[in-house]
mmCIF file of all heavy atoms in Angstrom:
data_model
loop_
_atom_site.group_PDB
_atom_site.id
_atom_site.type_symbol
_atom_site.label_atom_id
_atom_site.label_comp_id
_atom_site.label_asym_id
_atom_site.label_seq_id
_atom_site.Cartn_x
_atom_site.Cartn_y
_atom_site.Cartn_z
ATOM 1 N N ARG B 118 120.017 55.483 59.743
ATOM 2 C CA ARG B 118 118.793 55.474 60.414
ATOM 3 C C ARG B 118 117.540 55.238 59.572
ATOM 4 O O ARG B 118 116.470 54.856 60.108
ATOM 5 C CB ARG B 118 118.626 56.820 61.245
ATOM 6 C CG ARG B 118 119.065 56.684 62.706
ATOM 7 C CD ARG B 118 120.547 56.222 62.799
ATOM 8 N NE ARG B 118 120.963 56.260 64.217
ATOM 9 C CZ ARG B 118 122.154 56.018 64.666
ATOM 10 N NH1 ARG B 118 123.033 55.532 63.774
ATOM 11 N NH2 ARG B 118 122.489 55.923 65.881
ATOM 12 N N SER B 119 117.629 55.632 58.261
ATOM 13 C CA SER B 119 116.414 55.510 57.471
ATOM 14 C C SER B 119 116.211 54.050 57.096
ATOM 15 O O SER B 119 117.183 53.277 56.773
ATOM 16 C CB SER B 119 116.491 56.431 56.302
ATOM 17 O OG SER B 119 116.652 55.776 55.073
ATOM 18 N N VAL B 120 114.976 53.657 57.025
ATOM 19 C CA VAL B 120 114.589 52.371 56.697
ATOM 20 C C VAL B 120 115.123 51.901 55.355
ATOM 21 O O VAL B 120 115.808 50.863 55.150
ATOM 22 C CB VAL B 120 113.074 52.184 56.652
ATOM 23 C CG1 VAL B 120 112.624 50.789 56.009
ATOM 24 C CG2 VAL B 120 112.474 52.337 58.076
ATOM 25 N N PHE B 121 115.001 52.741 54.315
ATOM 26 C CA PHE B 121 115.351 52.403 52.990
ATOM 27 C C PHE B 121 116.899 52.301 52.720
ATOM 28 O O PHE B 121 117.308 51.284 52.336
ATOM 29 C CB PHE B 121 114.807 53.381 51.965
ATOM 30 C CG PHE B 121 114.880 52.950 50.527
ATOM 31 C CD1 PHE B 121 114.104 51.916 50.029
ATOM 32 C CD2 PHE B 121 115.857 53.585 49.723
ATOM 33 C CE1 PHE B 121 114.254 51.607 48.764
ATOM 34 C CE2 PHE B 121 115.984 53.145 48.405
ATOM 35 C CZ PHE B 121 115.189 52.174 47.924
ATOM 36 N N SER B 122 117.598 53.326 53.316
ATOM 37 C CA SER B 122 119.015 53.204 52.974
ATOM 38 C C SER B 122 119.706 52.211 53.860
ATOM 39 O O SER B 122 120.751 51.598 53.523
ATOM 40 C CB SER B 122 119.745 54.570 53.257
ATOM 41 O OG SER B 122 119.490 54.958 54.576
ATOM 42 N N SER B 123 119.120 51.831 55.057
ATOM 43 C CA SER B 123 119.752 50.780 55.871
ATOM 44 C C SER B 123 119.599 49.367 55.209
ATOM 45 O O SER B 123 120.435 48.500 55.441
ATOM 46 C CB SER B 123 119.100 50.780 57.194
ATOM 47 O OG SER B 123 117.832 50.270 57.137
ATOM 48 N N LEU B 124 118.690 49.258 54.311
ATOM 49 C CA LEU B 124 118.527 47.989 53.532
ATOM 50 C C LEU B 124 119.660 47.753 52.630
ATOM 51 O O LEU B 124 120.113 46.609 52.336
ATOM 52 C CB LEU B 124 117.229 48.043 52.671
ATOM 53 C CG LEU B 124 116.009 47.432 53.183
ATOM 54 C CD1 LEU B 124 114.841 47.763 52.342
ATOM 55 C CD2 LEU B 124 116.106 45.901 53.356
ATOM 56 N N PHE B 125 120.364 48.794 52.245
ATOM 57 C CA PHE B 125 121.510 48.695 51.371
ATOM 58 C C PHE B 125 122.843 48.899 51.921
ATOM 59 O O PHE B 125 123.803 49.196 51.231
ATOM 60 C CB PHE B 125 121.236 49.613 50.068
ATOM 61 C CG PHE B 125 119.997 49.289 49.349
ATOM 62 C CD1 PHE B 125 118.791 49.973 49.646
ATOM 63 C CD2 PHE B 125 119.881 48.199 48.506
ATOM 64 C CE1 PHE B 125 117.594 49.698 49.070
ATOM 65 C CE2 PHE B 125 118.779 47.959 47.873
ATOM 66 C CZ PHE B 125 117.566 48.685 48.173
ATOM 67 N N GLN B 126 122.860 48.896 53.217
ATOM 68 C CA GLN B 126 124.142 49.108 53.964
ATOM 69 C C GLN B 126 124.541 47.834 54.638
ATOM 70 O O GLN B 126 123.633 47.135 55.319
ATOM 71 C CB GLN B 126 123.917 50.249 55.013
ATOM 72 C CG GLN B 126 125.207 50.561 55.673
ATOM 73 C CD GLN B 126 125.013 51.466 56.815
ATOM 74 O OE1 GLN B 126 124.073 51.234 57.712
ATOM 75 N NE2 GLN B 126 125.743 52.470 56.982
ATOM 76 N N ARG B 127 125.674 47.529 54.529
ATOM 77 C CA ARG B 127 126.256 46.327 55.299
ATOM 78 C C ARG B 127 127.339 46.723 56.220
ATOM 79 O O ARG B 127 128.014 47.687 55.989
ATOM 80 C CB ARG B 127 126.869 45.335 54.171
ATOM 81 C CG ARG B 127 125.931 45.182 52.997
ATOM 82 C CD ARG B 127 126.264 44.004 52.154
ATOM 83 N NE ARG B 127 125.714 42.829 52.707
ATOM 84 C CZ ARG B 127 124.436 42.445 52.659
ATOM 85 N NH1 ARG B 127 123.546 43.304 52.119
ATOM 86 N NH2 ARG B 127 123.983 41.262 53.145
ATOM 87 N N GLY B 128 127.308 46.143 57.421
ATOM 88 C CA GLY B 128 128.166 46.676 58.486
ATOM 89 C C GLY B 128 129.567 46.305 58.384
ATOM 90 O O GLY B 128 130.100 45.424 59.137
ATOM 91 N N ARG B 129 130.278 46.888 57.347
ATOM 92 C CA ARG B 129 131.763 46.593 57.243
ATOM 93 C C ARG B 129 132.659 47.796 57.364
ATOM 94 O O ARG B 129 132.117 48.879 57.444
ATOM 95 C CB ARG B 129 131.939 45.839 55.913
ATOM 96 C CG ARG B 129 131.016 44.491 55.740
ATOM 97 C CD ARG B 129 131.843 43.461 55.028
ATOM 98 N NE ARG B 129 131.048 42.167 54.983
ATOM 99 C CZ ARG B 129 130.148 41.979 54.063
ATOM 100 N NH1 ARG B 129 129.960 42.799 53.166
ATOM 101 N NH2 ARG B 129 129.470 40.875 54.181
ATOM 102 N N GLY B 130 133.906 47.533 57.236
ATOM 103 C CA GLY B 130 134.798 48.671 57.090
ATOM 104 C C GLY B 130 135.011 49.498 58.249
ATOM 105 O O GLY B 130 135.182 48.920 59.401
ATOM 106 N N ALA B 131 135.020 50.828 58.072
ATOM 107 C CA ALA B 131 135.306 51.808 59.188
ATOM 108 C C ALA B 131 134.461 51.609 60.356
ATOM 109 O O ALA B 131 134.958 51.710 61.489
ATOM 110 C CB ALA B 131 135.157 53.193 58.627
ATOM 111 N N ARG B 132 133.115 51.290 60.215
ATOM 112 C CA ARG B 132 132.280 51.191 61.361
ATOM 113 C C ARG B 132 132.697 50.051 62.227
ATOM 114 O O ARG B 132 132.762 50.131 63.434
ATOM 115 C CB ARG B 132 130.757 50.994 60.910
ATOM 116 C CG ARG B 132 130.149 52.226 60.473
ATOM 117 C CD ARG B 132 128.674 51.995 60.154
ATOM 118 N NE ARG B 132 128.731 50.999 59.066
ATOM 119 C CZ ARG B 132 128.849 51.367 57.826
ATOM 120 N NH1 ARG B 132 128.894 52.582 57.476
ATOM 121 N NH2 ARG B 132 128.693 50.417 56.846
ATOM 122 N N ARG B 133 133.007 48.961 61.567
ATOM 123 C CA ARG B 133 133.435 47.706 62.270
ATOM 124 C C ARG B 133 134.787 48.079 63.064
ATOM 125 O O ARG B 133 134.946 47.537 64.192
ATOM 126 C CB ARG B 133 133.612 46.616 61.273
ATOM 127 C CG ARG B 133 133.494 45.271 61.968
ATOM 128 C CD ARG B 133 133.242 44.204 60.855
ATOM 129 N NE ARG B 133 131.864 44.138 60.554
ATOM 130 C CZ ARG B 133 130.973 43.316 61.179
ATOM 131 N NH1 ARG B 133 131.361 42.503 62.118
ATOM 132 N NH2 ARG B 133 129.772 43.326 60.883
ATOM 133 N N GLU B 134 135.698 48.735 62.479
ATOM 134 C CA GLU B 134 136.915 49.060 63.090
ATOM 135 C C GLU B 134 136.732 49.891 64.334
ATOM 136 O O GLU B 134 137.308 49.676 65.369
ATOM 137 C CB GLU B 134 137.858 49.732 62.112
ATOM 138 C CG GLU B 134 138.645 48.864 61.200
ATOM 139 C CD GLU B 134 139.342 49.587 60.051
ATOM 140 O OE1 GLU B 134 139.658 50.756 60.277
ATOM 141 O OE2 GLU B 134 139.374 48.996 59.039
#
Side-chain angles (χ1 to χ4, degrees):
Chain B
R118 265 54 176 182
S119 109
V120 170
F121 191 72
S122 59
S123 68
L124 264 171
F125 299 96
Q126 185 192 43
R127 318 194 79 75
R129 301 219 175 87
R132 279 182 302 276
R133 202 161 277 269
E134 278 168 29

